[in-house]
């Protein structure tokens, strides 16, 4: 039985979510503030966390920030009444896997949950690396190096780079990138992919002579191994 932590201070909403999840066969627990949420995360192992941004004592963003210091794997879906791009991007930058804007249909939330629980946690060996030319990524330590220079990436930028490198020399559409990196079929504007490609380029390509990340007009993006 999969375990889901519901972090939500609106009692009626958290109860509705809990009942729906239990009906679907999930084990659940509710935290109505950030401090309890962190305590539950430390005391137990969760398959997925539903995390409201606006909660008392510690904000959802702060809970997420602290969680990701020690846990890169547990899927986190943000629940927010805010429909601002900045809030969504901030949450994704901190390591959230997905977000749902209130009010939402419970069927959509359940579909997002199923999608994330289907994704296996990647288990890597200490020595496993991806390389493209002089760019390398250690999948165990998450260290990114180009030409002996270490590059710092946010969790979302790292996931995007890894997906490109795993598919080097293959042109990937924005929809493919969105589904694989963000973890669900995205039905809205895919401009967020362009934004994150720009972020990664600034860090991986800008200071070097040869750009690895290429735009294929009308299709999407690829990372090219120029040594091939």
């Amino acid at each position: 039985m999969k375990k889901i932590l519901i972090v939500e201070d609106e009692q009626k909403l958290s109860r509705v979510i809990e009942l729906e999840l239990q009906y679907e066969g999930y084990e659940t627990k509710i935290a109505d503030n950030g401090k309890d949420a962190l305590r539950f995360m430390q005391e137990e192992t969760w398959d997925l966390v539903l995390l409201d941004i606006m909660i008392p004592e510690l904000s959802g963003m702060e809970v997420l920030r602290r969680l990701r210091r020690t846990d890169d794997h547990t899927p986190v879906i943000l629940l927010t009444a805010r429909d601002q791009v900045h809030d969504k991007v901030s949450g994704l930058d901190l390591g959230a896997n997905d977000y749902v804007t209130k009010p939402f249909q419970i069927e959509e939330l359940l579909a997002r949950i199923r999608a994330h629980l289907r994704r296996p946690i990647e288990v890597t060996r200490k020595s496993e690396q991806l390389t493209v030319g002089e760019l390398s990524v250690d999948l165990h330590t998450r260290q990114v190096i180009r030409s002996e220079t270490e590059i710092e990436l946010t969790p979302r930028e790292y996931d995007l780079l890894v997906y490109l490198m795993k598919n080097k020399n293959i042109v990937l559409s924005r929809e493919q990138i969105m589904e694989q990196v963000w973890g669900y079929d995205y039905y809205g504007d895919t401009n967020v992919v362009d934004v994150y490609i720009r972020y990664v380029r600034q860090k991986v390509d800008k200071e070097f002579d040869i750009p690895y990340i290429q735009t294929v007009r009308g299709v999407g993006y690829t990372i090219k191994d120029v040594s091939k």
Side-chain angles (χ1 to χ4, degrees):
M1 183 181 293
K2 300 290 187 180
K3 294 176 58 179
I4 298 178
L5 178 61
I6 304 165
V7 185
E8 170 60 66
D9 64 325
E10 294 181 36
Q11 189 174 7
K12 290 183 179 179
L13 177 58
S14 64
R15 183 56 177 158
V16 168
I17 294 173
E18 181 180 49
L19 289 173
E20 292 287 347
L21 292 179
Q22 290 177 350
Y23 181 79
E24 294 293 322
Y26 300 111
E27 180 180 342
T28 64
K29 180 179 281 190
I30 295 174
D32 61 8
N33 65 75
K35 288 186 178 179
D36 283 348
L38 280 177
R39 179 166 59 84
F40 294 158
M41 291 172 186
Q42 293 167 355
E43 293 175 348
E44 302 179 57
T45 300
W46 302 95
D47 294 293
L48 186 139
V49 176
L50 299 176
L51 178 60
D52 185 28
I53 289 180
M54 300 297 292
I55 51 176
E57 299 194 31
L58 285 175
S59 71
M61 292 295 194
E62 182 59 25
V63 171
L64 178 60
R65 181 181 291 108
R66 297 189 188 189
L67 173 67
R68 286 301 185 234
R69 289 175 184 170
T70 58
D71 181 351
D72 287 332
H73 302 300
T74 302
V76 175
I77 299 177
L78 296 179
L79 306 177
T80 175
R82 301 179 179 180
D83 197 19
Q84 299 295 320
V85 173
H86 176 268
D87 295 318
K88 296 173 182 178
V89 170
S90 296
L92 295 173
D93 269 343
L94 288 174
N97 300 84
D98 201 347
Y99 58 83
V100 178
T101 302
K102 301 176 188 176
F104 52 82
Q105 296 294 321
I106 193 67
E107 291 81 5
E108 178 187 5
L109 179 61
L110 292 173
R112 301 280 181 91
I113 290 171
R114 288 193 296 269
H116 287 289
L117 292 179
R118 280 197 300 267
R119 300 180 72 197
I121 294 175
E122 183 179 8
V123 179
T124 59
R125 291 195 224 27
K126 186 172 183 179
S127 62
E128 189 174 356
Q129 289 192 340
L130 299 173
T131 60
V132 173
E134 297 179 333
L135 176 67
S136 66
V137 174
D138 187 311
L139 295 177
H140 178 75
T141 64
R142 299 174 69 92
Q143 187 178 46
V144 180
I145 295 177
R146 179 167 180 180
S147 300
E148 300 183 354
T149 300
E150 186 168 355
I151 299 170
E152 293 188 7
L153 300 176
T154 67
R156 187 65 58 187
E157 292 166 356
Y158 173 86
D159 290 344
L160 174 57
L161 180 63
V162 166
Y163 181 58
L164 291 173
M165 292 180 72
K166 284 183 174 180
N167 295 275
K168 63 182 178 182
N169 302 316
I170 298 173
V171 180
L172 303 167
S173 69
R174 290 172 177 81
E175 290 76 15
Q176 286 176 299
I177 295 171
M178 178 63 70
E179 181 176 354
Q180 294 300 316
V181 177
W182 275 260
Y184 63 94
D185 292 326
Y186 188 70
Y187 300 106
D189 195 341
T190 58
N191 284 344
V192 68
V193 173
D194 302 321
V195 171
Y196 274 85
I197 287 287
R198 185 167 68 250
Y199 291 162
V200 175
R201 273 178 166 158
Q202 287 284 326
K203 297 179 178 181
V204 170
D205 282 340
K206 185 177 180 182
E207 301 300 321
F208 302 92
D209 294 334
I210 300 174
Y212 291 146
I213 300 174
Q214 305 289 326
T215 301
V216 180
R217 293 192 179 278
V219 183
Y221 299 98
T222 185
I223 190 165
K224 289 205 169 188
D225 190 339
V226 294
S227 65
K228 299 294 184 183

mmCIF file of all heavy atoms in Angstrom, residues 103-127:
data_model
loop_
_atom_site.group_PDB
_atom_site.id
_atom_site.type_symbol
_atom_site.label_atom_id
_atom_site.label_comp_id
_atom_site.label_asym_id
_atom_site.label_seq_id
_atom_site.Cartn_x
_atom_site.Cartn_y
_atom_site.Cartn_z
ATOM 1 N N PRO A 103 -8.926 26.050 -7.498
ATOM 2 C CA PRO A 103 -9.600 24.773 -7.248
ATOM 3 C C PRO A 103 -9.260 23.761 -8.336
ATOM 4 O O PRO A 103 -9.048 24.137 -9.486
ATOM 5 C CB PRO A 103 -11.081 25.150 -7.278
ATOM 6 C CG PRO A 103 -11.145 26.309 -8.220
ATOM 7 C CD PRO A 103 -9.864 27.078 -8.015
ATOM 8 N N PHE A 104 -9.204 22.510 -7.987
ATOM 9 C CA PHE A 104 -8.858 21.470 -8.953
ATOM 10 C C PHE A 104 -9.880 20.339 -8.882
ATOM 11 O O PHE A 104 -10.589 20.170 -7.885
ATOM 12 C CB PHE A 104 -7.455 20.910 -8.687
ATOM 13 C CG PHE A 104 -7.233 20.459 -7.276
ATOM 14 C CD1 PHE A 104 -7.665 19.211 -6.842
ATOM 15 C CD2 PHE A 104 -6.600 21.276 -6.360
ATOM 16 C CE1 PHE A 104 -7.467 18.790 -5.543
ATOM 17 C CE2 PHE A 104 -6.395 20.863 -5.049
ATOM 18 C CZ PHE A 104 -6.834 19.618 -4.634
ATOM 19 N N GLN A 105 -9.952 19.569 -9.947
ATOM 20 C CA GLN A 105 -10.795 18.382 -9.975
ATOM 21 C C GLN A 105 -10.016 17.235 -9.333
ATOM 22 O O GLN A 105 -8.849 17.008 -9.647
ATOM 23 C CB GLN A 105 -11.171 18.027 -11.414
ATOM 24 C CG GLN A 105 -12.021 19.078 -12.111
ATOM 25 C CD GLN A 105 -13.392 19.214 -11.469
ATOM 26 O OE1 GLN A 105 -13.995 18.224 -11.070
ATOM 27 N NE2 GLN A 105 -13.887 20.447 -11.385
ATOM 28 N N ILE A 106 -10.671 16.491 -8.455
ATOM 29 C CA ILE A 106 -9.988 15.404 -7.753
ATOM 30 C C ILE A 106 -9.475 14.365 -8.736
ATOM 31 O O ILE A 106 -8.434 13.737 -8.508
ATOM 32 C CB ILE A 106 -10.918 14.764 -6.696
ATOM 33 C CG1 ILE A 106 -10.102 13.872 -5.758
ATOM 34 C CG2 ILE A 106 -12.051 14.001 -7.370
ATOM 35 C CD1 ILE A 106 -9.127 14.609 -4.880
ATOM 36 N N GLU A 107 -10.180 14.191 -9.867
ATOM 37 C CA GLU A 107 -9.725 13.215 -10.867
ATOM 38 C C GLU A 107 -8.364 13.605 -11.434
ATOM 39 O O GLU A 107 -7.523 12.746 -11.709
ATOM 40 C CB GLU A 107 -10.744 13.092 -12.006
ATOM 41 C CG GLU A 107 -12.056 12.439 -11.611
ATOM 42 C CD GLU A 107 -13.013 13.395 -10.921
ATOM 43 O OE1 GLU A 107 -12.687 14.608 -10.840
ATOM 44 O OE2 GLU A 107 -14.078 12.944 -10.473
ATOM 45 N N GLU A 108 -8.151 14.914 -11.621
ATOM 46 C CA GLU A 108 -6.855 15.372 -12.127
ATOM 47 C C GLU A 108 -5.766 15.105 -11.105
ATOM 48 O O GLU A 108 -4.672 14.624 -11.441
ATOM 49 C CB GLU A 108 -6.902 16.866 -12.456
ATOM 50 C CG GLU A 108 -5.561 17.397 -12.948
ATOM 51 C CD GLU A 108 -5.538 18.909 -13.118
ATOM 52 O OE1 GLU A 108 -6.539 19.567 -12.766
ATOM 53 O OE2 GLU A 108 -4.507 19.415 -13.579
ATOM 54 N N LEU A 109 -6.045 15.416 -9.839
ATOM 55 C CA LEU A 109 -5.058 15.172 -8.791
ATOM 56 C C LEU A 109 -4.709 13.688 -8.709
ATOM 57 O O LEU A 109 -3.535 13.315 -8.617
ATOM 58 C CB LEU A 109 -5.593 15.664 -7.445
ATOM 59 C CG LEU A 109 -4.664 15.449 -6.245
ATOM 60 C CD1 LEU A 109 -3.351 16.187 -6.442
ATOM 61 C CD2 LEU A 109 -5.343 15.882 -4.958
ATOM 62 N N LEU A 110 -5.708 12.828 -8.758
ATOM 63 C CA LEU A 110 -5.456 11.391 -8.697
ATOM 64 C C LEU A 110 -4.623 10.923 -9.882
ATOM 65 O O LEU A 110 -3.735 10.059 -9.738
ATOM 66 C CB LEU A 110 -6.782 10.625 -8.651
ATOM 67 C CG LEU A 110 -7.612 10.791 -7.370
ATOM 68 C CD1 LEU A 110 -8.977 10.128 -7.529
ATOM 69 C CD2 LEU A 110 -6.877 10.228 -6.168
ATOM 70 N N ALA A 111 -4.887 11.494 -11.052
ATOM 71 C CA ALA A 111 -4.105 11.120 -12.243
ATOM 72 C C ALA A 111 -2.648 11.544 -12.087
ATOM 73 O O ALA A 111 -1.731 10.799 -12.456
ATOM 74 C CB ALA A 111 -4.713 11.762 -13.491
ATOM 75 N N ARG A 112 -2.422 12.743 -11.549
ATOM 76 C CA ARG A 112 -1.047 13.198 -11.327
ATOM 77 C C ARG A 112 -0.334 12.279 -10.333
ATOM 78 O O ARG A 112 0.830 11.934 -10.511
ATOM 79 C CB ARG A 112 -1.056 14.633 -10.786
ATOM 80 C CG ARG A 112 -1.721 15.677 -11.692
ATOM 81 C CD ARG A 112 -0.790 16.125 -12.803
ATOM 82 N NE ARG A 112 -1.426 17.136 -13.627
ATOM 83 C CZ ARG A 112 -1.347 18.449 -13.422
ATOM 84 N NH1 ARG A 112 -0.667 18.915 -12.391
ATOM 85 N NH2 ARG A 112 -1.931 19.305 -14.243
ATOM 86 N N ILE A 113 -1.050 11.925 -9.261
ATOM 87 C CA ILE A 113 -0.459 11.036 -8.260
ATOM 88 C C ILE A 113 -0.078 9.696 -8.882
ATOM 89 O O ILE A 113 1.033 9.189 -8.685
ATOM 90 C CB ILE A 113 -1.445 10.829 -7.091
ATOM 91 C CG1 ILE A 113 -1.579 12.124 -6.281
ATOM 92 C CG2 ILE A 113 -0.991 9.677 -6.191
ATOM 93 C CD1 ILE A 113 -2.689 12.086 -5.252
ATOM 94 N N ARG A 114 -0.991 9.111 -9.669
ATOM 95 C CA ARG A 114 -0.686 7.817 -10.303
ATOM 96 C C ARG A 114 0.525 7.923 -11.216
ATOM 97 O O ARG A 114 1.371 7.022 -11.259
ATOM 98 C CB ARG A 114 -1.906 7.323 -11.087
ATOM 99 C CG ARG A 114 -3.050 6.846 -10.215
ATOM 100 C CD ARG A 114 -4.085 6.090 -11.033
ATOM 101 N NE ARG A 114 -4.738 6.951 -12.027
ATOM 102 C CZ ARG A 114 -5.850 7.629 -11.803
ATOM 103 N NH1 ARG A 114 -6.428 7.574 -10.611
ATOM 104 N NH2 ARG A 114 -6.394 8.361 -12.753
ATOM 105 N N ALA A 115 0.612 9.032 -11.941
ATOM 106 C CA ALA A 115 1.733 9.214 -12.873
ATOM 107 C C ALA A 115 3.061 9.228 -12.128
ATOM 108 O O ALA A 115 4.041 8.599 -12.552
ATOM 109 C CB ALA A 115 1.552 10.498 -13.671
ATOM 110 N N HIS A 116 3.109 9.930 -11.008
ATOM 111 C CA HIS A 116 4.373 10.013 -10.259
ATOM 112 C C HIS A 116 4.710 8.712 -9.549
ATOM 113 O O HIS A 116 5.889 8.347 -9.459
ATOM 114 C CB HIS A 116 4.308 11.169 -9.257
ATOM 115 C CG HIS A 116 4.399 12.509 -9.908
ATOM 116 N ND1 HIS A 116 5.559 12.997 -10.475
ATOM 117 C CD2 HIS A 116 3.461 13.463 -10.116
ATOM 118 C CE1 HIS A 116 5.330 14.191 -10.992
ATOM 119 N NE2 HIS A 116 4.063 14.493 -10.780
ATOM 120 N N LEU A 117 3.708 8.017 -9.074
ATOM 121 C CA LEU A 117 3.980 6.750 -8.390
ATOM 122 C C LEU A 117 4.402 5.656 -9.360
ATOM 123 O O LEU A 117 5.017 4.666 -8.955
ATOM 124 C CB LEU A 117 2.747 6.306 -7.597
ATOM 125 C CG LEU A 117 2.402 7.179 -6.390
ATOM 126 C CD1 LEU A 117 1.147 6.663 -5.705
ATOM 127 C CD2 LEU A 117 3.562 7.236 -5.408
ATOM 128 N N ARG A 118 4.081 5.834 -10.649
ATOM 129 C CA ARG A 118 4.515 4.862 -11.666
ATOM 130 C C ARG A 118 5.982 5.028 -11.999
ATOM 131 O O ARG A 118 6.608 4.114 -12.528
ATOM 132 C CB ARG A 118 3.693 5.008 -12.952
ATOM 133 C CG ARG A 118 2.334 4.361 -12.906
ATOM 134 C CD ARG A 118 1.777 4.195 -14.304
ATOM 135 N NE ARG A 118 1.644 5.461 -14.991
ATOM 136 C CZ ARG A 118 0.539 6.202 -15.003
ATOM 137 N NH1 ARG A 118 -0.531 5.789 -14.335
ATOM 138 N NH2 ARG A 118 0.481 7.340 -15.669
ATOM 139 N N ARG A 119 6.541 6.207 -11.739
ATOM 140 C CA ARG A 119 7.932 6.462 -12.120
ATOM 141 C C ARG A 119 8.867 5.823 -11.115
ATOM 142 O O ARG A 119 8.854 6.158 -9.939
ATOM 143 C CB ARG A 119 8.212 7.963 -12.177
ATOM 144 C CG ARG A 119 7.350 8.715 -13.166
ATOM 145 C CD ARG A 119 7.677 10.182 -13.166
ATOM 146 N NE ARG A 119 8.968 10.427 -13.783
ATOM 147 C CZ ARG A 119 9.642 11.558 -13.640
ATOM 148 N NH1 ARG A 119 9.175 12.511 -12.872
ATOM 149 N NH2 ARG A 119 10.789 11.734 -14.237
ATOM 150 N N PRO A 120 9.691 4.880 -11.550
ATOM 151 C CA PRO A 120 10.594 4.228 -10.597
ATOM 152 C C PRO A 120 11.684 5.188 -10.144
ATOM 153 O O PRO A 120 12.151 6.033 -10.911
ATOM 154 C CB PRO A 120 11.194 3.073 -11.416
ATOM 155 C CG PRO A 120 11.119 3.542 -12.833
ATOM 156 C CD PRO A 120 9.863 4.384 -12.917
ATOM 157 N N ILE A 121 12.064 5.052 -8.874
ATOM 158 C CA ILE A 121 13.196 5.837 -8.372
ATOM 159 C C ILE A 121 14.470 5.312 -9.015
ATOM 160 O O ILE A 121 14.760 4.119 -9.003
ATOM 161 C CB ILE A 121 13.304 5.719 -6.842
ATOM 162 C CG1 ILE A 121 12.080 6.368 -6.192
ATOM 163 C CG2 ILE A 121 14.586 6.355 -6.331
ATOM 164 C CD1 ILE A 121 12.026 6.191 -4.692
ATOM 165 N N GLU A 122 15.240 6.209 -9.590
ATOM 166 C CA GLU A 122 16.457 5.798 -10.294
ATOM 167 C C GLU A 122 17.542 5.405 -9.314
ATOM 168 O O GLU A 122 17.928 6.169 -8.431
ATOM 169 C CB GLU A 122 16.959 6.956 -11.169
ATOM 170 C CG GLU A 122 18.170 6.592 -11.983
ATOM 171 C CD GLU A 122 18.618 7.738 -12.857
ATOM 172 O OE1 GLU A 122 18.091 8.834 -12.727
ATOM 173 O OE2 GLU A 122 19.525 7.504 -13.665
ATOM 174 N N VAL A 123 18.007 4.158 -9.428
ATOM 175 C CA VAL A 123 19.089 3.683 -8.588
ATOM 176 C C VAL A 123 20.350 3.647 -9.440
ATOM 177 O O VAL A 123 20.396 3.006 -10.479
ATOM 178 C CB VAL A 123 18.789 2.269 -8.037
ATOM 179 C CG1 VAL A 123 19.948 1.770 -7.188
ATOM 180 C CG2 VAL A 123 17.493 2.291 -7.241
ATOM 181 N N THR A 124 21.379 4.365 -8.994
ATOM 182 C CA THR A 124 22.598 4.477 -9.793
ATOM 183 C C THR A 124 23.794 3.988 -9.001
ATOM 184 O O THR A 124 23.848 4.096 -7.783
ATOM 185 C CB THR A 124 22.846 5.941 -10.210
ATOM 186 O OG1 THR A 124 22.965 6.732 -9.032
ATOM 187 C CG2 THR A 124 21.696 6.467 -11.044
ATOM 188 N N ARG A 125 24.775 3.479 -9.711
ATOM 189 C CA ARG A 125 26.006 3.109 -9.085
ATOM 190 C C ARG A 125 26.875 4.334 -8.884
ATOM 191 O O ARG A 125 26.745 5.332 -9.572
ATOM 192 C CB ARG A 125 26.758 2.117 -9.960
ATOM 193 C CG ARG A 125 26.126 0.756 -10.076
ATOM 194 C CD ARG A 125 27.139 -0.183 -10.646
ATOM 195 N NE ARG A 125 26.840 -1.113 -11.643
ATOM 196 C CZ ARG A 125 25.932 -1.123 -12.587
ATOM 197 N NH1 ARG A 125 25.128 -0.230 -12.685
ATOM 198 N NH2 ARG A 125 25.820 -2.017 -13.453
ATOM 199 N N LYS A 126 27.805 4.229 -7.932
ATOM 200 C CA LYS A 126 28.634 5.370 -7.577
ATOM 201 C C LYS A 126 29.428 5.879 -8.769
ATOM 202 O O LYS A 126 29.654 7.066 -8.923
ATOM 203 C CB LYS A 126 29.584 4.981 -6.441
ATOM 204 C CG LYS A 126 30.385 6.135 -5.897
ATOM 205 C CD LYS A 126 31.147 5.745 -4.663
ATOM 206 C CE LYS A 126 31.886 6.927 -4.083
ATOM 207 N NZ LYS A 126 32.613 6.582 -2.857
ATOM 208 N N SER A 127 29.863 4.960 -9.638
ATOM 209 C CA SER A 127 30.738 5.353 -10.743
ATOM 210 C C SER A 127 29.982 5.692 -12.025
ATOM 211 O O SER A 127 30.595 6.025 -13.022
ATOM 212 C CB SER A 127 31.736 4.224 -11.027
ATOM 213 O OG SER A 127 31.037 3.058 -11.412
#
